[in-house]
Amino acid sequence: MTPNNAVLSNDFERKHNYLRISLIEKCNLRCAYCMPADGIVVPPKASLMTTDEIQAIAS
């Protein structure tokens, strides 16, 4: 696989040089975009991606 040297940036031109992927839904960082104060509905395990699927997308 050839490395991709493209830089990921958002609408405000902020550059991102890392990717944080949670493999479980038990993250304790409580980020507003994925874990609001009122909680979330956890989907059934069968509908979640496998570790191999997540690795394939991240690659």
Side-chain angles (χ1 to χ4, degrees), residues 2-59:
T2 305
N4 183 350
N5 293 328
V7 176
L8 177 66
S9 63
N10 65 13
D11 291 341
F12 299 101
E13 299 301 318
R14 291 182 288 222
K15 308 296 184 213
H16 302 279
N17 60 4
Y18 68 94
L19 175 64
R20 179 178 172 268
I21 299 174
S22 179
L23 297 178
I24 60 173
E25 69 280 355
K26 294 180 176 27
C27 174
N28 64 356
L29 295 179
R30 310 266 325 148
C31 300
Y33 58 86
C34 68
M35 184 65 77
D38 56 346
I40 61 167
V41 176
V42 179
K45 187 171 178 106
S47 69
L48 299 177
M49 293 172 52
T50 66
T51 303
D52 290 338
E53 291 170 329
I54 294 168
Q55 184 176 10
I57 288 173
S59 294

